[in-house]
Amino acid sequence: MQARLAGLSPAYFGMVMATGIVSLATHLLGMQSVAKALFLLNCVVYVLLWFLTILRVVRYPRLFFDDLIDHLRGPGFFTIVAGTCVLGSQFVVLAADYRTAMALWGGAGVLWIGLTYTIFTGLTVKEHKPPLHQGISGAWLLAVVATQSIAVLSALLAPHVEQPGRLEMNFLALSMWLWGGMLYIWMMSLIFYRYTFFPFSPGDLSPPYWINMGAMAISTLAGSLLILNSPDAPFLLSLLPFIKGFTVFYWATGTWWIPMLLLLFIWRHVYRRFPLRYDPLYWGAVFPLGMYATCTHQMIEAMGFEFLRFLPQLFMYIALAAWATVFVGLARYLLRHVNAFRF
């Protein structure tokens, strides 16, 4: 058990991200009891993961800080930021608890600043670096997701803040939305280059490659919320054609990824027979599915694309099934290790 704690994946907060966004998707599409149950579960998971993370820092500080500047494990820390913001979004949408949501928003902002500049500075100045095809993966796009999650929570909180704070929150949301989009372009260029010009094995195609789509989906959600908030901020009204254009651009890019990711999944697990067993990184594959349902629903509300109304419902059920599958995998994994510990 000590070894499990020492090797705890920094990306485990992806479970909070996945559970939270599936909860929000089911709420928006009318499954209130499921949404509330997942909300309560998410609060428990969030506290438990923080307890394990702090315990790991205290007992294994060297391993923890080595992970921060590791090219493969380091980006997983951004799930802490995104998970905190997704939980904050649940407090806004499901509980109308703006005080708790504001506290989570502040904590996420501090974490985002600390992790962004620690991780990227560490990766820049470290002496020994892996080659591109060994050091980059879809997990790097978690930095984009973390950035856009702050934009989303800021936009959700903005209508509940008095002026001039409302203007400032919307400006922060806009700034983070723009920065997240630029960061995606930088990182996706390197990831796509790695995919197409270096040898690729099934083991290289880890579950976070679904973040290729998830990063665009959360960017779409942030853009849609900015459109809905535009009556409260004159600068958003002046930028409305630009925001609408880029929101559709993000959605279209994320949609393009879905068939590609399905084909790669089939190639990995059917054609190449790579074993499908529980891994905490699979929460990073559930999150994009739930986010696609949520962002498409909000884009329809913001821009009136009624002909897309069938998509949120479809992807909500897919995301719910994927969440249940990974959760069962987690339960079996925990039971297996508990039994091994007992005997």
Side-chain angles (χ1 to χ4, degrees), residues 59-329:
R59 299 198 64 175
Y60 306 101
R62 180 64 181 271
L63 290 174
F64 179 86
F65 290 108
D66 283 348
D67 281 350
L68 274 173
I69 57 172
D70 183 87
H71 278 72
L72 292 179
R73 290 174 67 89
F77 283 98
F78 285 109
T79 60
I80 303 175
V81 179
T84 300
C85 286
V86 171
L87 184 62
S89 299
Q90 287 181 279
F91 273 100
V92 173
V93 176
L94 296 174
D97 185 348
Y98 309 119
R99 182 172 298 179
T100 302
M102 188 66 76
L104 290 168
W105 171 82
V110 172
L111 286 166
W112 182 86
I113 293 170
L115 290 172
T116 297
Y117 292 103
T118 299
I119 292 172
F120 289 121
T121 300
L123 295 180
T124 300
V125 303
K126 67 187 297 187
E127 294 184 10
H128 303 291
K129 304 178 185 182
L132 178 67
H133 66 284
Q134 295 177 3
I136 197 167
S137 70
W140 278 55
L141 292 172
L142 287 168
V144 177
V145 174
T147 304
Q148 297 291 23
S149 69
I150 293 179
V152 168
L153 185 53
S154 299
L156 286 172
L157 285 169
H160 309 286
V161 177
E162 297 295 329
Q163 297 287 19
R166 188 175 301 176
L167 285 173
E168 295 164 356
M169 291 288 279
N170 278 311
F171 182 75
L172 175 64
L174 174 66
S175 300
M176 298 298 280
W177 180 68
L178 292 171
W179 164 233
M182 190 69 248
L183 190 60
Y184 183 86
I185 293 170
W186 289 352
M187 290 186 172
M188 196 65 243
S189 299
L190 293 173
I191 292 169
F192 203 78
Y193 176 66
R194 185 264 177 272
Y195 282 4
T196 52
F197 288 96
F198 290 90
F200 214 61
S201 69
D204 294 326
L205 206 61
S206 58
Y209 67 91
W210 280 86
I211 301 296
N212 299 356
M213 182 269 280
M216 287 287 88
I218 194 171
S219 300
T220 302
L221 177 60
S224 300
L225 293 173
L226 287 170
I227 294 167
L228 292 171
N229 285 1
S230 59
D232 294 330
F235 59 85
L236 290 180
L237 281 174
S238 65
L239 291 170
L240 208 50
F242 168 82
I243 297 172
K244 287 184 175 181
F246 262 81
T247 299
V248 176
F249 166 72
Y250 291 148
W251 182 86
T253 303
T255 303
W256 179 89
W257 270 111
I258 295 173
M260 183 71 179
L261 294 170
L262 287 173
L263 289 171
L264 291 174
F265 181 87
I266 293 170
W267 172 81
R268 187 189 198 218
H269 295 291
V270 179
Y271 180 72
R272 296 299 297 271
R273 300 180 184 276
F274 193 84
L276 188 61
R277 61 171 65 96
Y278 175 75
D279 188 311
L281 296 178
Y282 275 110
W283 293 111
V286 176
F287 171 77
L289 296 170
M291 182 55 73
Y292 188 80
T294 304
C295 80
T296 304
H297 179 275
Q298 290 300 94
M299 187 179 71
I300 293 168
E301 296 299 315
M303 303 183 69
F305 293 159
E306 294 298 325
F307 52 87
L308 296 176
R309 186 64 70 177
F310 71 98
L311 280 174
Q313 197 83 22
L314 172 64
F315 273 87
M316 183 267 290
Y317 285 116
I318 294 173
L320 195 56
W323 183 90
T325 301
V326 179
F327 187 79
V328 169

Side-chain angles (χ1 to χ4, degrees), residues 13 15-17 39-53 79-88 90-91 103-105 107-108 111:
F13 277 84
M15 184 177 180
V16 179
M17 295 165 54
F39 178 34
L40 293 174
L41 174 63
N42 215 25
C43 293
V44 174
V45 171
Y46 183 77
V47 172
L48 177 61
L49 286 175
W50 264 117
F51 170 76
L52 292 174
T53 300
T79 60
I80 303 175
V81 179
T84 300
C85 286
V86 171
L87 184 62
Q90 287 181 279
F91 273 100
L104 290 168
W105 171 82
L111 286 166

Side-chain angles (χ1 to χ4, degrees), residues 6-30:
L8 184 71
S9 172
Y12 239 121
F13 277 84
M15 184 177 180
V16 179
M17 295 165 54
T19 305
I21 199 59
V22 172
S23 171
L24 290 168
T26 53
H27 168 77
L28 291 173
L29 295 165

